[in-house]
Amino acid sequence: MDQHLSIFDDLYNIKDNISDGYFLILNNKLKNLVRENKNLKKFLRENLVIDDEDKPEIIEQHIQFLLEEESEEESEEESEEESEEESEEESEEESEEELEEESEEESEEESEYVCNCSTRYIFPNLLNSIEDISEFFCLSSLQRMQNCENFKRLMDKLPLLENLFQKIDLPFAEEPTYNKYIKEEYSLIIKILLLFIEKFTEKKSKSIIVFVIYDFMIKNINFMKDNKIYATICLKKCEELLKDCEHQQIALEYNINYIRWIDIIKSIIIE
């Protein structure tokens, strides 16, 4: 059973606190949402076509990200708020001296950490042989990531990732590039970027990775051109991001032109 169906358990837990009429209204709405979700999944399975015989797993993963429900984002925000509250309570109990000692220990630990990723090179085409990409990157902190050898190699391909550490002058794409793409490399890079979104907890870092993903897609627009269903889903997610006020504030800081991205994707879809 899908995890999202557990919402019915939550509904029945509050049944005694609401009227029978309101309960039936909510129950029917939830059933309709579940039905629409199943129909959408069926539509994607039947209509998403890749040129090669095999459909890369990355397409499913990217679609899952692009169709991410707002309820999941709200859950993450609630979790972050709870963590912040717990952190505040703990910090009140700890003395300033203890906090300073912990900070010094963390700094020493970071300075002593040695990246071993240089012994394993993830590019250019290892998509089918990699089970856990996270093993190829130092992801426990931004400082370790910045010093990670494989992440440095990834930044050679995607220099805009440096915005994770400091804002740079290099602009994000506003015009499509119609160069020939390498599907395996495209898929691998998207898979890595989605991994980062999954691993990061800070909203700003997640948003920067989203910017990099769309910049990468616009610069490899022929992939969307060859996969119209995929392009349609990317467009839908792009339009949804315009409604996220916090995300849009970060987008303004980095001069992200979402309207232009939407226009480009729309033009690809109707070709």
Side-chain angles (χ1 to χ4, degrees):
M1 180 180 292
D2 293 339
Q3 290 183 354
H4 64 267
L5 294 181
S6 64
I7 192 171
F8 285 102
D9 295 332
D10 298 330
L11 179 60
Y12 279 94
N13 288 335
I14 65 170
K15 181 180 179 182
D16 294 336
N17 298 326
I18 59 178
S19 67
D20 291 340
Y22 191 45
F23 170 80
L24 289 175
I25 291 173
L26 290 177
N27 190 57
N28 289 334
K29 285 184 177 180
L30 288 175
K31 286 182 178 179
N32 288 334
L33 286 173
V34 170
R35 189 181 304 112
E36 289 178 7
N37 184 52
K38 288 182 178 178
N39 291 338
L40 180 57
K41 287 181 178 179
K42 181 180 179 181
F43 173 80
L44 291 174
R45 284 195 300 267
E46 294 176 350
N47 292 276
L48 185 63
V49 179
I50 307 300
D51 290 340
D52 290 358
E53 293 181 0
D54 296 326
K55 295 182 179 181
E57 179 186 357
I58 182 58
I59 299 299
E60 283 187 26
Q61 294 175 341
H62 201 183
I63 287 172
Q64 184 178 359
F65 159 71
L66 293 168
L67 295 176
E68 184 179 62
E69 294 182 301
E70 292 182 5
S71 60
E72 294 176 346
E73 295 176 358
E74 291 173 358
S75 176
E76 289 181 2
E77 290 175 1
E78 291 175 359
S79 177
E80 289 177 5
E81 289 176 0
E82 291 175 359
S83 298
E84 288 175 0
E85 291 176 359
E86 292 175 0
S87 178
E88 289 175 0
E89 293 175 359
E90 292 174 358
S91 62
E92 290 176 357
E93 297 174 359
E94 294 176 338
S95 66
E96 292 184 3
E97 182 178 348
E98 290 174 334
L99 290 175
E100 288 176 1
E101 289 177 357
E102 288 178 3
S103 178
E104 289 176 0
E105 289 176 0
E106 289 176 359
S107 298
E108 290 177 2
E109 183 180 346
E110 292 294 330
S111 62
E112 293 174 358
Y113 179 80
V114 178
C115 171
N116 295 316
C117 295
S118 59
T119 59
R120 298 170 301 169
Y121 187 43
I122 194 169
F123 296 106
N125 180 19
L126 299 176
L127 180 62
N128 295 324
S129 62
I130 297 174
E131 294 183 0
D132 186 3
I133 291 182
S134 62
E135 295 179 357
F136 290 79
F137 295 94
C138 303
L139 300 177
S140 58
S141 71
L142 284 179
Q143 183 176 341
R144 291 187 180 184
M145 186 180 292
Q146 190 173 16
N147 295 321
C148 173
E149 294 300 323
N150 274 344
F151 192 83
K152 290 177 182 177
R153 289 164 174 165
L154 182 62
M155 282 202 298
D156 289 339
K157 296 176 178 291
L158 305 171
L160 288 166
L161 283 172
E162 190 175 345
N163 283 295
L164 288 168
F165 316 118
Q166 57 184 356
K167 187 178 178 182
I168 61 176
D169 293 332
L170 186 65
F172 287 81
E174 291 192 7
E175 295 298 330
T177 303
Y178 291 86
N179 294 333
K180 184 177 180 180
Y181 62 86
I182 301 172
K183 192 180 72 173
E184 290 78 12
E185 183 172 331
Y186 180 102
S187 299
L188 181 56
I189 287 176
I190 290 292
K191 189 171 185 177
I192 293 170
L193 294 176
L194 294 179
L195 167 71
F196 294 161
I197 289 179
E198 179 185 339
K199 296 293 184 181
F200 292 166
T201 57
E202 186 191 12
K203 177 77 172 185
K204 187 171 185 177
S205 295
K206 287 178 177 286
S207 292
I208 289 173
I209 296 298
V210 172
F211 303 154
V212 173
I213 287 176
Y214 273 93
D215 177 270
F216 179 71
M217 290 192 295
I218 296 298
K219 289 175 178 174
N220 294 273
I221 200 68
N222 278 331
F223 187 89
M224 281 193 184
K225 190 175 179 181
D226 294 340
N227 299 277
K228 296 295 180 69
I229 300 297
Y230 175 79
T232 301
I233 298 168
C234 292
L235 173 63
K236 180 180 181 295
K237 182 62 180 181
C238 201
E239 291 173 334
E240 288 178 359
L241 289 171
L242 285 173
K243 302 174 185 177
D244 186 330
C245 295
E246 186 178 356
H247 181 81
Q248 278 305 305
Q249 282 187 329
I250 301 171
L252 286 173
E253 180 184 347
Y254 288 86
N255 299 314
I256 301 300
N257 191 344
Y258 265 107
I259 301 301
R260 180 58 183 148
W261 285 352
I262 288 173
D263 289 341
I264 291 171
I265 300 173
K266 281 183 177 178
S267 68
I268 288 299
I269 293 172
I270 63 177
E271 281 185 359

